[in-house]
Amino acid sequence: MPSPALSLRRPSWLSPKVLRTEVLGGLVVALALIPEAISFSIIAGVDPAIGLFASFTMAVTIAIVGGRPAMISAATGAVALVIAPLNREHGFGYLVAAVILAGVFQIVLGALGVARLLRFVPRSVMVGFVNALAILVFMAQVPELRDVPWAVYPLVAAGLTLMVFFPKVTTVVPAPLVSIVILTTITVAAGIAVPTVGDKGALPSALPVPGLPDVPFTLDTLATIAPYAFAMALVGLMESLMTAKLVDDITDTRSSKTRESVGQGIANIVTGFFGGMGGCAMIGQTMINVKVSGARTRLSTFLAGVFLMVLCIAFGPVVSEIPMAALVAVMVMVCFATFDWHSIAPKTLKRMPAGEITVMVITVTCVVATHNLAVGVIAGSVTAMVIFARRVAHLANVTSVTDPDGTQVVYSVTGELFFASSNDLVARFDYAGDPDKVVIDLASAHIWDASTVAALDAIETKYAQRGKTVEITGLNEHSARIHRTLSGELSPGH
């Protein structure tokens, strides 16, 4: 009999039920990865095997070193778009070198705590990010539905119908896997001529082998690849960290964003040395794994990479026969499951502040227009900060009370004082009409920055020019420290 201590240490995936879920989830993800990896290879301008190798090494490595269990990392369109110009202008060797350097950048950024910046991403940006991803995944399926045999459309409809109703019968086997198997069987048995996975490109017939990038190891090479590598590192980290946060919310668990950042770097370095095109977290396949299949552990991520290579090498001819219609149906279902429909419901929009809606719309628009998640998240976050700054700026208020004998006036300032609110502060005082002694009471205010100290200095100067004295009272400890440190040091003469 095993001891209680050993039982407690047993991984959760050793449970038969969990193990089945993880294995089947990994298999479904592997099937969905194949056409995606091939498509992203085409975007990057490399052989389809390069994208498949990258998906294999990224998934297997991140399963071990990543910080978010059950999240899928592989070759992605965002990374492909960043490195495509480098491959086109300088060749594949430079692309591989950039992938390795991007991994180094990600490890450094992770160690420096870049993951902590995620706290500054507002909820409205997160909702826009999720909705934009769902739209992008759907848009990526549209080309598979243009100029195709008519049989594709009923196959897609059948696949969607199976995935909607099959879970009502049983959830033992993932509905997407059932849909893929049934539609493949029908098309092969009936000899229906429709586009298949094999039409996307040749599948690899052997495992990747490690090696060094074929580039001169000089400063010129470093200068050439560094901008692309840094852009890839930022885009990859942003997409991965946002996806990790989304999975945290779905699974009601926490993950280590710093470990995920460093893990993404390690995975990209490994991928580069194996001749892959690099990658990051994939929202579509992650949703298949977590939301559709119900996977929760690292095993599903690891098996997704393993199954991918097994399917390509051992079962290449069979996998090549899978109709693209089956995979399109799976991805369309993922889009509907991913999109936050509650966020656009009329009832929600009526209650939501206009600023929140604006931020969400800007995030979605920028992501969809540029196909770059980083652009959308940055634009949405900056917009949210501007709206917040304007909103808080209006909360600063100034009231005055003059003593009955007319010898002193007390100005009470309330609110948060920073660059947006303190810029108007100077105009709120009656310099000519006030008595000789002026008291500015900041007991209900808080000084946040140098702009506020400069404004207070300007107020004192204006009164001094008229022979009047100013006393500032009520400063809390933080505000007093800032004022004491900076007062008198911010004029052009200093």
Side-chain angles (χ1 to χ4, degrees), residues 33-55 75-77 79-81 83-84 87 92 95 200-202 275-278:
L33 276 173
I34 294 173
E36 294 274 297
I38 294 174
S39 298
F40 298 147
S41 299
I42 295 171
I43 292 173
V46 298
D47 188 81
I50 303 302
L52 292 165
F53 287 156
S55 295
T76 60
V79 169
L81 287 170
I83 60 177
N87 180 62
F92 180 67
L95 182 151
K200 286 288 185 180
M277 57 180 275

Side-chain angles (χ1 to χ4, degrees), residues 410-415 417 438-447 456 470-481 483-484:
V410 178
Y411 282 92
S412 295
V413 182
T414 61
L417 302 179
V438 178
V439 177
I440 301 177
D441 183 6
L442 298 179
S444 299
H446 190 98
I447 296 175
L456 292 173
V470 175
E471 180 185 359
I472 297 176
T473 64
L475 291 171
N476 59 42
E477 183 180 350
H478 178 269
S479 300
R481 185 167 60 251
H483 186 261
R484 183 170 57 251

Side-chain angles (χ1 to χ4, degrees), residues 255-428:
S255 61
S256 172
K257 305 303 186 298
T258 297
R259 178 176 174 179
E260 182 62 35
S261 302
V262 174
Q264 288 290 328
I266 295 172
N268 272 304
I269 291 173
V270 171
T271 298
F273 281 119
F274 275 91
M277 57 180 275
C280 61
M282 297 189 75
I283 182 69
Q285 277 65 20
T286 297
M287 289 300 100
I288 291 175
N289 196 45
V290 174
K291 208 164 187 178
V292 180
S293 300
R296 293 292 184 269
T297 76
R298 298 177 185 275
L299 182 62
S300 56
T301 305
F302 180 83
L303 290 179
V306 172
F307 284 149
L308 175 64
M309 279 294 101
V310 171
L311 289 169
C312 291
I313 296 172
F315 300 99
V318 176
V319 173
S320 296
E321 295 299 324
I322 296 175
M324 285 302 300
L327 297 174
V328 168
V330 171
M331 298 310 295
V332 169
M333 183 59 70
V334 169
C335 296
F336 279 93
T338 302
F339 196 92
D340 187 350
W341 296 101
H342 176 72
S343 66
I344 61 170
K347 186 176 180 181
T348 303
L349 294 177
K350 285 181 180 179
R351 296 180 177 180
M352 192 72 67
E356 302 283 318
I357 298 173
T358 301
V359 170
M360 182 178 70
V361 171
I362 287 176
T363 303
V364 172
T365 303
C366 289
V367 172
V368 173
T370 64
H371 286 227
N372 190 322
L373 297 166
V375 171
V377 171
I378 291 173
S381 298
V382 170
T383 303
M385 291 176 186
V386 171
I387 292 174
F388 174 77
R390 289 190 61 186
R391 187 180 301 157
V392 175
H394 293 304
L395 297 179
N397 192 33
V398 180
T399 57
S400 63
V401 176
T402 304
D403 284 356
D405 58 6
T407 59
Q408 174 180 289
V409 62
V410 178
Y411 282 92
S412 295
V413 182
T414 61
E416 306 301 317
L417 302 179
F418 64 112
F419 62 90
S421 58
S422 60
N423 284 338
D424 296 331
L425 198 61
V426 179
R428 306 291 291 276

Side-chain angles (χ1 to χ4, degrees), residues 43-70:
I43 292 173
V46 298
D47 188 81
I50 303 302
L52 292 165
F53 287 156
S55 295
F56 163 63
T57 54
M58 286 293 298
V60 169
T61 306
I62 205 68
I64 300 169
V65 301
R68 175 62 260 177

Side-chain angles (χ1 to χ4, degrees), residues 136-158:
L136 286 183
V137 173
F138 181 82
M139 289 172 61
Q141 312 313 309
V142 173
E144 304 297 337
L145 300 174
R146 289 177 180 163
D147 302 321
V148 293
W150 67 269
V152 168
Y153 303 109
L155 285 172
V156 172

